[in-house]
Amino acid sequence: MDFSSKLLENAVNEMSQLPGIGKRTALRLVLHLLKQPTQQTEALSESLQQMRALVNFCDNCHNISDTKLCEICASHNRNERIVCVVEDIRDVMAIEATSQYRGHYHVLGGKISPMDGIGPSDLNINSLVKKVSEGKIDEIIFALSSTMEGDTTNFYVFRQIEEYKITTSTIARGISVGDELEYADEVTLGRSIVNRIPFENSLKNS
């Protein structure tokens, strides 16, 4: 792809680093920004810089937040004794959109994936085990995607907390095997949360 401007080429190269954005799509986006009023482009740039510099992770659940505690953990209308374990912020948003869950979350920050060099120590697992060991949780709901990596992560976390004899459950398999949680429709995901099953049962069926 030939560029008449080095500045344009640099912008396209940076834009194409985003997931799912190829060089042609990046070029369309950059050219679109060039056509917009300067204030709009500057507002986009400033919002990205502020997000990168100021965004926090919740001290309790590791969700993305503007403050030390996210709105969910800070709410008095949520059941802090029930914790839904998810991979990342996109899964929190997907479950919240169902309006079927009123507990807390624990964001692992990924899934165990040896092929990608991601092990248990790279995830927010120890803080979850600590909360369980301190008696702060009555039930854990495993809500990772039904992939090999998701199942491996669920099982690893289960083994870490098994000795504490709390209730463990997993979302019902209304979610197709191999599907990412964030892509499930709200009705299916909501029913999967409501109709969750004991985690031990999922082990017997796998």
Side-chain angles (χ1 to χ4, degrees):
M1 189 177 293
D2 296 326
F3 293 90
S4 59
S5 164
K6 192 65 178 177
L7 295 174
L8 176 65
E9 182 179 1
N10 290 340
V12 170
N13 287 338
E14 291 301 321
M15 188 75 75
S16 66
Q17 300 299 314
L18 297 173
I21 303 296
K23 283 291 180 68
R24 293 186 181 279
T25 301
L27 177 59
R28 285 199 300 270
L29 293 172
V30 170
L31 292 176
H32 172 77
L33 289 174
L34 278 176
K35 294 177 182 177
Q36 303 309 302
T38 302
Q39 300 93 321
Q40 184 172 335
T41 306
E42 289 176 346
L44 172 61
S45 176
E46 184 179 353
S47 66
L48 291 174
Q49 290 177 350
Q50 286 186 340
M51 178 192 70
R52 194 66 185 89
L54 302 176
V55 74
N56 293 306
F57 291 92
C58 177
D59 287 347
N60 184 53
C61 73
H62 308 289
N63 190 10
I64 290 176
S65 174
D66 292 339
T67 55
K68 287 190 174 182
L69 280 183
C70 69
E71 292 182 357
I72 294 173
C73 289
S75 172
H76 297 296
N77 298 319
R78 311 288 298 222
N79 185 351
E80 63 183 16
R81 307 290 300 181
I82 300 177
V83 173
C84 185
V85 178
V86 298
E87 179 183 351
D88 61 29
I89 175 63
R90 294 171 296 180
D91 299 328
V92 173
M93 294 172 68
I95 294 173
E96 284 297 287
T98 70
S99 301
Q100 297 294 315
Y101 178 69
R102 300 302 299 168
H104 278 202
Y105 293 92
H106 187 89
V107 181
L108 294 178
K111 295 175 289 192
I112 295 173
S113 178
M115 292 289 290
D116 297 319
I118 302 174
S121 61
D122 299 308
L123 306 178
N124 300 317
I125 294 176
N126 289 339
S127 55
L128 175 63
V129 175
K130 184 174 185 292
K131 283 188 282 189
V132 172
S133 68
E134 292 173 348
K136 296 179 179 180
I137 299 175
D138 293 331
E139 179 184 0
I140 280 183
I141 304 170
F142 292 104
L144 273 67
S145 303
S146 53
T147 60
M148 182 183 298
E149 293 81 5
D151 289 343
T152 298
T153 307
N154 283 341
F155 183 69
Y156 179 87
V157 174
F158 173 73
R159 292 303 299 269
Q160 302 307 302
I161 63 174
E162 190 175 11
E163 64 180 285
Y164 299 107
K165 307 298 182 184
I166 68 168
T167 299
T168 54
S169 58
T170 184
I171 57 176
R173 291 301 188 181
I175 310 300
S176 300
V177 174
D179 280 359
E180 295 291 342
L181 201 69
E182 64 177 300
Y183 299 124
D185 67 90
E186 295 173 9
V187 174
T188 299
L189 183 54
R191 288 175 178 169
S192 295
I193 291 288
V194 171
N195 298 320
R196 59 187 182 272
I197 61 175
F199 183 73
E200 292 90 339
N201 289 7
S202 72
L203 295 177
K204 295 173 184 176
N205 295 329
S206 60

